[in-house]
Amino acid sequence: MAASFVPPSPPPFADDEVAAIRAVTPGCSGGLIHLNHAGSSLPAQVVLDAQLGHLQREAVIGGYEAAAEAADRTRETHASIARLIGAEPSEIARFGSAAEAWMAAFWSIPMAAGQRIIVHDHEYGANAIAFIHAAKTRGVVIDRLPSDECGQVSVDALAERLQRADDVALVSLTHVPTNGGLVNPAAAIGRLTRAADVPFLVDACQSVGQLNVDVDEIGCDFLSATGRKYLRGPRGTGFLYARPSILDRVTPSQPDHHGAKWSSTDDYTFAAGAQRFEYWEFSHAGWLGLGAAVDVVHELGIDRIEATVTERANQLRTMLTDLGLTVYDEGLQRCGIVTTASPNVASADLKAALSRCSINASTTFAGSSRYDVERRNLPDMLRLSVHCTTTVDELEWTVAVLTSILRN
Ligand SMILES: Cc1ncc(COP(=O)(O)O)c(C=O)c1O
């Protein structure tokens, strides 16, 4: 039998390529070390130009007139996002955040009292609040999957729980959790939900832009993401992917006259495709900025971004471990988010001390990932998140600063 062809993995960006990306990213030129890309990353100049240019046109010729002028480019953002995740433009709905997009999908899914919603310990806080709210208001049962020995969602446990699937309203998965460095095996979960014909909602807020995310490979019905994190887009932007085959099984919970057409005095019809989840009003400048940011990802190549982010995060994990710190990351596949803590100095104090040295980091707190925090008994952690703009020099300097904080 002929050996199957395995395409070579693309290499991380070389130093001169990273320098070129940094040269067109204003946040990389002022001496700041930004290790908070999973909070909000640093946009390229073209992203700023797209937003500022549109704001200028709105101010000079009027908001509706500027929207008409930019209509083609505005539509292009849907197409560019679709191309990035292996979808069609009509399968993308724009939103002002990932949580809004996720909520639009979640609350469109029919859920009856006693039905199960299957979730995992890495769910984001906003999603968990929705589960609890659905339990309180609709009587659904939250069925939490355990993690496997690597810390990722247990695929075997899901297979077992889907053996009887007629009472399952939804399987929800956070692809890259808020902390923990982990990449959950979304495609393995998708194979099971497809076989069981159960709706599958993926929170890809922290994976789109740093990993190659393909909705067909994952096999999800819905996928939500934000602009401001690894896509390096503007704050206040996000999107939802909705598979055409799910649309007849769900009902948008709060349609307006853009998501639906007021067809007669007492009736309406939903817009075609994912548009039914959108609202009429949105930040045109933000959406154009997001389109420019996604175009940058296309130009750089998501595979090379992923290779660079993965390499940089692994380098940082090694440096922190060498310093004697515990790294709390789990999973077979790890991403650009690195979490650590010191037994002697509170993470909030570490973050503040780093900030005084112009190093941006963030800290985790129980309310954003309580299931995980309680299961692993995690402390408040320092979260350092890298991107393809991050250099080894920046990591070495950060670890040198941490060393001096911890030794004083
Ligand atoms: C895993 C995950 N999902 C969803 C969100 C919400 O994103 P947004 O603030 O854009 O709504 C976040 C934000 O940190 C997140 O980490």
Side-chain angles (χ1 to χ4, degrees), residues 84-96:
L84 185 67
I85 61 169
E88 293 296 324
S90 60
E91 295 163 5
I92 305 299
R94 58 169 153 63
F95 278 95

Side-chain angles (χ1 to χ4, degrees), residues 217-286:
E217 214 174 287
I218 292 177
C220 53
D221 296 294
F222 289 113
L223 180 140
S224 55
T226 187
R228 72 173 187 278
K229 296 192 183 214
Y230 278 92
L231 284 173
R232 300 203 294 142
R235 293 201 69 172
T237 60
F239 69 86
L240 176 69
Y241 158 79
R243 189 176 292 281
S245 56
I246 197 73
L247 296 180
D248 289 341
R249 296 171 64 179
V250 301
T251 310
S253 59
Q254 295 173 328
D256 76 353
H257 58 315
H258 171 81
K261 183 176 169 205
W262 195 4
S263 49
S264 67
T265 311
D266 295 318
D267 209 357
Y268 62 84
T269 47
F270 282 119
Q275 182 186 319
R276 67 189 56 194
F277 293 102
E278 292 182 344
Y279 291 110
W280 185 80
E281 178 58 354
F282 63 102
S283 161
H284 290 247

